C-alpha cells in the first residue's frame, strides 16, 4: 500500500530563472518544510529548457539560504567603503532616502537624482518598476548600454526586427554555428539543442570564439579568430559562397536589397585577405564557408559577444548577412537568430509609468557612470551633477567599465547613495543607506525569455528572510514620501502583472499559474521572414542604414565589412584583452557562494606560452596587465587556446579577489560605441609584464 502523504515532505514550486541570461529557464523548485528552498531543476516539459539548467542555478539554495544575506536596513556610520553600518528601521531608511532626494532636487533640480538599475533580476515588475518612479518624478533617465545595444543594432540593421527562427529548431539543423557566445558558460540550453542535432541528424557544430573555451571544446570546428575581427571572417565566408557557387541568388533577388552590389563589394574580401586580419588560415575560412554552402539547413546562433566590441554592430550585421547569401532562412532549422525580444509586444505603461514620461528629461548612459559621477560635462549632457542615486539589481562599483573612475565618483562626499541589495556588494559598501532585497522565489513577477519564446510566471513561493523586501515595495514607499503619482504605485506586484498581461493581449495570471508558461513563438513563415523582413519594403538590408540604429553613425560601413573602430594593438599596448564570462559566476552574482568560488579558484590571465616565454612569465606567476586606464595584478595561466597577442581573463571576480583590490574593469573603457552606445568589455588594448 502507498504510505500516506506527509506534510513534512518537500513540495514543488514553479518559477523562472531571474538572472541575466537569454534562456530564462522554466524551473521546478523544492520547497522545504522549514520555509527555505532546496533543489532546483529545469522543467522537462518546457520545450526549450528541456529539463536542463546551469549548475550555478541548480545549486541556488546555496545562494538563497546564504548566511551573509542582508536582513535589515542599514545606515552608514563610518567612511565610505569602510563597511561600518548600524541597523535602522525601514521607516527611517526610507525617510532618509526621500529627504536626500528632496534636498538634491531643491539644489540642482530633479535631474540631479539618477535611479540606476540593471539585470540582477530580469522580472519585468521588479526590474523595471524603478522607471515608474523616475518618470513620475522627472529624474534623470538611463540609457541601458551595459549589455545589448551593439548586438541588437547590428541584427536589426539587417532584419528590421528583433526576432528570428524558433530556437528549438537548432535541434533540426544540419549545422549549428555558435558565434559570439560561450554557451556552456552562459546559456547552456543552446548546447542542449545543438548536441541533439548532432546526435539525431549528424549535424556539425561550429564555434567562432577568440579562445578555446568549454563550448569550443565540444565543437567539430573551432574558428579561433583574433578579438574584433568577426566582420572580416563573415565577409570572407560570403566571398567564398559567391565565388564557389553556394549563393542562393533566387532567394536574394526576392528577399534582399542589393545582392549584386554586395557581391561586387566582397570580391576583394578573400579568405587570404581575412586570414591576415583574423589570424585564421585561408583554408579554415574556406572550409567553414563550404560547410555552410553544403549544409543549407544551418542555424547561426549569434550571441552577446558582439556587444562587447566597438565594431560589434557592424560585425553582427555582417554575420547575420551570411544566412541571406545562403538562403538558410527558408528551411526549418535554418537562418540566423540573436533574440526574440520583439515577439512579446509588451504594454509596460503600468510597470514603467510611460504615460507620465517627460521626453525632455536627459538620459544618461549607464556605462558612463564613472565619467558621470566624476562630473564629465559631456557625459552629463551638459546638465546638473548627479548628487543622489537609488541603485537596484546591479553592482556598478565592480561591473561598470573604467572602474577607477567609478571608484572616484562613488567616493564623493556630496553624493548620496541608497543601494537595495541581497548581499553587501562593493557598491553597497559605498552606500549611505543599504536596504535588504528579496530573491526571485520571495516575490511575484513575470518574465520574458528573449533567447527562446516563453512568457513565464514567477510567483512568490517562500517568505523572505529577516526584513528583506521586494523592489516594488521600495519604489512605492519612496513614491508615497516624494509625492509621486501613478496608478502603479497603488497596486501590488501581482496586480501589475495581471494588468500588464491584459494590456498586452496575453493570457491572465490564472492561466499562467495553471500552464506555467505561454509559448509566444510566431508561425514558421513569420519567424523565418518568409513574408518579408521587418523593413517597409520587406527586404533584408545588406546596405545598412545606421542612422536608423542610433545617432552616432559617422564612418560606419554601409555594406558588411571589417571596421577597425576597435582598440587595435600597438607598440605601447601589444596585447588584446577579452574579459570573458566565467562559468560559475553571472557578472558578480554567485561570487558570494562557496561552490562557485571554489570552482573558479582565483582571477587568472590566460596567456599564450610563446608570449609568456618572451616576457619571462611562468605558470602561476604574478603578472600585471595595464593600459592608460589602470593596472591589475593577478596570476598567469599558460594556455595555447588563444592566439599569441591575446589575453583572456574570465570574470567578473570581486575587486577584493585581486592581489591589489582592483578588478579587471579597471582596464575596460566607458567610451560609447557606435551607433547607439555600448560598453566594449572585450575590446581592450593592454600591455603585460611580470609583476
Amino acid at each position: 500500500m502507498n504510505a500516506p502523504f506527509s506534510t513534512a515532505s518537500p513540495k514543488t514550486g514553479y518559477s523562472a530563472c531571474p538572472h541575466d541570461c537569454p534562456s530564462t529557464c522554466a524551473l521546478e523548485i523544492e520547497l522545504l518544510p522549514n520555509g527555505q528552498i532546496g533543489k532546483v531543476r529545469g522543467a522537462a516539459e518546457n520545450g526549450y529548457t528541456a529539463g536542463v539548467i546551469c549548475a550555478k542555478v541548480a545549486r541556488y539554495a546555496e545562494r538563497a539560504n546564504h548566511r551573509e544575506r542582508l536582513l535589515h536596513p542599514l545606515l552608514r556610520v563610518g567612511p565610505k567603503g569602510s563597511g561600518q553600518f548600524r541597523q535602522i528601521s525601514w521607516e527611517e531608511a526610507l525617510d532618509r532616502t526621500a529627504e536626500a532626494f528632496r534636498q538634491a532636487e531643491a539644489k540642482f533640480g530633479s535631474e540631479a537624482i539618477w535611479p540606476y538599475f540593471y539585470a540582477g533580476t530580469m522580472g519585468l515588475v521588479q526590474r523595471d518598476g524603478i522607471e515608474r518612479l523616475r518618470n513620475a518624478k522627472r529624474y534623470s533617465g538611463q540609457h541601458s548600454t551595459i549589455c545589448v545595444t551593439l548586438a541588437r543594432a547590428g541584427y536589426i540593421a539587417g532584419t528590421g526586427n528583433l526576432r528570428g527562427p524558433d530556437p528549438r529548431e537548432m535541434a533540426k539543423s544540419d549545422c549549428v554555428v555558435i558565434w559570439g557566445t560561450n554557451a556552456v558558460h552562459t546559456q547552456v540550453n543552446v548546447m542542449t539543442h545543438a548536441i541533439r542535432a548532432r546526435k539525431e541528424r549528424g549535424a556539425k557544430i561550429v564555434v567562432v570564439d577568440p579562445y578555446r573555451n568549454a563550448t569550443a571544446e565540444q565543437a567539430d570546428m573551432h574558428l579561433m579568430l583574433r578579438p574584433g575581427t568577426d566582420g572580416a571572417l563573415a565577409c570572407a565566408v560570403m566571398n567564398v559562397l559567391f565565388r564557389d557557387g553556394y549563393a542562393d541568388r533566387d532567394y536574394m533577388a526576392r528577399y534582399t536589397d542589393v545582392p549584386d552590389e554586395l557581391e561586387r563589394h566582397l570580391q576583394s574580401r578573400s579568405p587570404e585577405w581575412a586570414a591576415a586580419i583574423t589570424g585564421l588560415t585561408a583554408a579554415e575560412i574556406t572550409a567553414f564557408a563550404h560547410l555552410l554552402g553544403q549544409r543549407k539547413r544551418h542555424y547561426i546562433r549569434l550571441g552577446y559577444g558582439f556587444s562587447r566590441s566597438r565594431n560589434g554592430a557592424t560585425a553582427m550585421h555582417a554575420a547575420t548577412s551570411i544566412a541571406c547569401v545562403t538562403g538558410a532562412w527558408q528551411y526549418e532549422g535554418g537562418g540566423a537568430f540573436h533574440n526574440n525580444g520583439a515577439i512579446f509586444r509588451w504594454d509596460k505603461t503600468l510597470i514603467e509609468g510611460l504615460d507620465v514620461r517627460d521626453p525632455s528629461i536627459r538620459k544618461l548612459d549607464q556605462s558612463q557612470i564613472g565619467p558621470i559621477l566624476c562630473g564629465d560635462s559631456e557625459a552629463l549632457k551638459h546638465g546638473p551633477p548627479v548628487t543622489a542615486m537609488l541603485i537596484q539589481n546591479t553592482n556598478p562599483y565592480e561591473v561598470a567599465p573604467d572602474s577607477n573612475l567609478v571608484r572616484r565618483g562613488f567616493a564623493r562626499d556630496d553624493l548620496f547613495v541608497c543601494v537595495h541589495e541581497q548581499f553587501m556588494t562593493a557598491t553597497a559598501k559605498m552606500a549611505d543607506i543599504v536596504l535588504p532585497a528579496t530573491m526571485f522565489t520571495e516575490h511575484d513577477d513575470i518574465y520574458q525569455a528573449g533567447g527562446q519564446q516563453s512568457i513565464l510566471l514567477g510567483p512568490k513561493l517562500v517568505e523572505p528572510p529577516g526584513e528583506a523586501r521586494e523592489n516594488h515595495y521600495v519604489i512605492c514607499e519612496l513614491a508615497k514620501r516624494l509625492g509621486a503619482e501613478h496608478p502603479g504605485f497603488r497596486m501590488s506586484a501581482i496586480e501589475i502583472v495581471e494588468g500588464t498581461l491584459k494590456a498586452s493581449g496575453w493570457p491572465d495570471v490564472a492561466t499562467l499559474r495553471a500552464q506555467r508558461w505561454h509559448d509566444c513563438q510566431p508561425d514558421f513563415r513569420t519567424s523565418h521572414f518568409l513574408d518579408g523582413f521587418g523593413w517597409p519594403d520587406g527586404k533584408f538590408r545588406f546596405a545598412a542604414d545606421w542612422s536608423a540604429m542610433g545617432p552616432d553613425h559617422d564612418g560606419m560601413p554601409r555594406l558588411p565589412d571589417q571596421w577597425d573602430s576597435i582598440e587595435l594593438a600597438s607598440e605601447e599596448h601589444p596585447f588584446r584583452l577579452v574579459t570573458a564570462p566565467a562559468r560559475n559566476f553571472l557578472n558578480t552574482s554567485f561570487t558570494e557562494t562557496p561552490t562557485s568560488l571554489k570552482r573558479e579558484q582565483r582571477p587568472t590571465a590566460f596567456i599564450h606560452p610563446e608570449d609568456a616565454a618572451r616576457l619571462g612569465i611562468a605558470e602561476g606567476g604574478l603578472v600585471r596587465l595595464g593600459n592608460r586606464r589602470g593596472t591589475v595584478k593577478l596570476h598567469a595561466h599558460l594556455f595555447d587556446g588563444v592566439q599569441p597577442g591575446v589575453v583572456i581573463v574570465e570574470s567578473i571576480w570581486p575587486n577584493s579577489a585581486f592581489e591589489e583590490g582592483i578588478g579587471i574593469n579597471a582596464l575596460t573603457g566607458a567610451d560609447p560605441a557606435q551607433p547607439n552606445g555600448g560598453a566594449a568589455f572585450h575590446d581592450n588594448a593592454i600591455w603585460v609584464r611580470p609583476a
Side-chain angles (χ1 to χ4, degrees):
M1 294 179 63
N2 291 331
F5 175 75
S6 169
T7 57
S9 300
K11 299 180 180 180
T12 300
Y14 303 107
S15 190
C17 180
H19 284 282
D20 189 9
C21 164
S23 291
T24 317
C25 292
L27 301 180
E28 298 175 353
I29 301 171
E30 190 177 57
L31 306 178
L32 304 178
N34 65 359
Q36 295 182 329
I37 67 167
K39 296 177 182 177
V40 180
R41 296 176 289 270
E45 295 85 358
N46 183 280
Y48 187 75
T49 303
V52 178
I53 59 173
C54 66
K56 52 187 172 284
V57 172
R59 56 178 184 267
Y60 209 89
E62 185 178 24
R63 186 168 192 271
N65 307 330
H66 200 294
R67 61 184 177 83
E68 292 182 8
R69 278 193 63 179
L70 293 171
L71 301 177
H72 306 285
L74 302 172
L75 171 69
R76 181 171 59 83
V77 295
K80 287 192 173 187
S82 66
Q84 297 174 35
F85 294 90
R86 69 171 174 85
Q87 183 178 330
I88 58 174
S89 69
W90 266 99
E91 289 295 310
E92 181 181 353
L94 292 166
D95 288 346
R96 284 178 177 269
T97 301
E99 179 58 26
F101 283 17
R102 279 192 292 268
Q103 290 181 9
E105 182 171 1
K107 187 171 183 179
F108 293 109
S110 64
E111 291 181 322
I113 298 99
W114 191 25
Y116 190 95
F117 76 108
Y118 206 53
T121 176
M122 294 291 279
L124 302 187
V125 175
Q126 307 292 348
R127 181 190 66 191
D128 300 335
I130 195 171
E131 297 280 28
R132 188 168 65 256
L133 180 65
R134 183 197 315 278
N135 290 331
K137 289 296 296 177
R138 303 176 75 248
Y139 295 153
S140 284
Q142 176 177 296
H143 181 30
S144 295
T145 57
I146 283 281
C147 187
V148 302
T149 44
L150 293 167
R152 289 189 177 183
Y155 188 82
I156 296 170
T159 63
N161 202 286
L162 188 63
R163 57 179 169 85
D166 189 331
R168 294 166 292 195
E169 287 184 29
M170 278 184 284
K172 300 178 181 180
S173 177
D174 293 328
C175 178
V176 179
V177 181
I178 302 171
W179 195 334
T181 180
N182 182 358
V184 170
H185 283 200
T186 63
Q187 41 184 322
V188 67
N189 311 84
V190 169
M191 301 308 299
T192 300
H193 298 283
I195 290 172
R196 180 181 169 192
R198 173 192 276 164
K199 290 179 177 178
E200 296 181 0
R201 301 180 57 84
K204 298 297 184 182
I205 298 174
V206 180
V207 169
V208 183
D209 201 284
Y211 77 117
R212 191 177 64 240
N213 53 40
T215 305
E217 288 175 348
Q218 298 196 38
D220 299 289
M221 177 186 293
H222 175 208
L223 298 165
M224 194 172 74
L225 75 177
R226 293 178 182 133
T229 64
D230 305 76
L233 173 60
C235 287
V237 166
M238 290 186 283
N239 169 288
V240 174
L241 293 170
F242 278 113
R243 184 195 71 190
D244 294 353
Y246 293 115
D248 190 330
R249 299 179 187 278
D250 290 340
Y251 176 86
M252 284 189 285
R254 181 176 178 184
Y255 287 104
T256 70
D257 59 348
V258 290
D260 294 339
E261 184 182 356
L262 177 71
E263 183 175 8
R264 291 192 299 272
H265 166 73
L266 292 173
Q267 285 176 357
S268 62
R269 273 65 172 176
S270 66
E272 291 74 20
W273 166 83
I277 297 168
T278 62
L280 301 170
T281 66
E284 287 178 294
I285 296 168
T286 301
F288 177 36
H290 285 174
L291 182 65
L292 297 179
Q294 293 160 8
R295 295 181 177 232
K296 293 287 190 181
R297 195 185 298 264
H298 51 258
Y299 194 108
I300 305 177
R301 185 65 172 81
L302 300 159
Y304 289 92
F306 289 94
S307 268
R308 317 291 189 248
S309 183
R310 288 171 179 81
N311 64 3
T314 59
M316 170 67 88
H317 175 246
T320 308
S321 297
I322 293 171
C324 284
V325 174
T326 62
W329 299 96
Q330 302 168 87
Y331 309 108
E332 187 178 29
F337 179 87
H338 173 58
N339 188 281
N340 250 341
I343 72 174
F344 298 106
R345 62 173 198 273
W346 292 111
D347 180 339
K348 296 177 73 177
T349 301
L350 265 180
I351 295 174
E352 297 187 7
L354 299 177
D355 48 347
V356 295
R357 185 175 68 88
D358 182 347
S360 70
I361 296 296
R362 68 178 176 183
K363 185 174 282 191
L364 302 178
D365 187 333
Q366 170 194 35
S367 298
Q368 291 201 291
I369 185 173
I372 286 166
L373 294 185
C374 288
D376 182 278
S377 180
E378 187 173 348
L380 286 164
K381 310 294 184 184
H382 307 289
V386 168
T387 61
M389 298 182 73
L390 169 65
I391 299 176
Q392 291 184 319
N393 319 323
T394 188
N395 180 18
Y397 198 79
E398 294 178 325
V399 169
D402 206 348
S403 62
N404 283 331
L405 270 185
V406 177
R407 293 159 74 102
R408 277 175 45 201
F410 271 103
R412 281 171 38 202
D413 289 332
D414 66 335
L415 176 67
F416 172 86
V417 177
C418 174
V419 172
H420 189 199
E421 251 297 353
Q422 298 161 346
F423 292 93
M424 185 59 75
T425 62
T427 305
K429 284 184 179 178
M430 298 300 293
D432 299 278
I433 297 289
V434 178
L435 305 175
T438 50
M439 291 190 181
F440 77 104
T441 55
E442 299 158 6
H443 56 236
D444 293 313
D445 217 332
I446 189 81
Y447 301 86
Q448 71 172 50
Q452 45 149 313
Q453 63 288 315
S454 298
I455 291 173
L456 305 96
L457 187 66
K460 181 178 179 179
L461 300 175
V462 297
E463 291 299 321
E467 295 183 276
R469 294 185 181 174
E470 63 180 349
N471 290 4
H472 178 64
Y473 171 85
V474 171
I475 297 304
C476 293
E477 287 297 313
L478 286 175
K480 184 191 307 179
R481 287 163 171 79
L482 293 163
E485 292 291 337
H486 192 272
F489 295 132
R490 300 187 295 272
M491 301 169 70
S492 68
I494 200 65
E495 287 172 337
I496 291 182
V497 169
E498 187 77 88
T500 299
L501 288 168
K502 181 178 180 180
S504 306
W506 295 119
D508 61 12
V509 168
T511 302
L512 282 179
R513 285 192 193 278
Q515 65 186 37
R516 297 163 57 187
W517 53 79
H518 179 73
D519 190 329
C520 304
Q521 185 68 44
D523 63 81
F524 179 84
R525 291 191 63 83
T526 302
S527 299
H528 287 253
F529 298 103
L530 296 183
D531 294 319
F533 284 88
W535 297 109
D537 61 0
K539 304 281 191 178
F540 181 94
R541 290 185 173 177
F542 288 135
D545 177 10
W546 293 112
S547 67
M549 298 295 103
D552 184 16
H553 52 82
D554 288 349
M556 298 185 72
R558 175 172 169 269
L559 293 170
D561 215 337
Q562 173 64 24
W563 186 38
D564 285 336
S565 60
I566 58 177
E567 277 194 1
L568 294 167
S570 64
E571 185 176 351
E572 181 183 4
H573 300 105
F575 289 87
R576 297 267 293 144
L577 168 68
V578 173
T579 60
R583 185 169 191 167
N584 291 283
F585 302 151
L586 203 166
N587 301 320
T588 57
S589 295
F590 300 95
T591 60
E592 66 285 322
T593 56
T595 302
S596 289
L597 290 169
K598 181 179 179 181
R599 292 184 178 182
E600 294 298 329
Q601 298 184 352
R602 65 186 179 188
T604 302
F606 292 37
I607 301 173
H608 195 280
E610 292 177 10
D611 292 326
R614 177 171 50 83
L615 294 170
I617 294 169
E619 172 66 32
L622 284 168
V623 295
R624 187 175 295 280
L625 316 181
N627 57 22
R628 66 184 183 278
R629 292 180 284 266
T631 70
V632 173
K633 187 177 179 182
L634 69 170
H635 292 269
H637 171 51
L638 277 53
F639 178 62
D640 65 2
V642 293
Q643 291 196 29
V646 176
V647 176
I648 307 291
V649 177
E650 293 184 341
S651 298
I652 301 172
W653 279 92
N655 293 342
S656 60
F658 287 79
E659 292 292 315
E660 296 173 333
I662 299 173
I664 198 62
N665 278 322
L667 306 179
T668 58
D671 51 300
Q674 294 176 261
N676 195 31
F681 288 103
H682 297 179
D683 182 0
N684 312 284
I686 63 167
W687 47 257
V688 179
R689 300 167 188 164

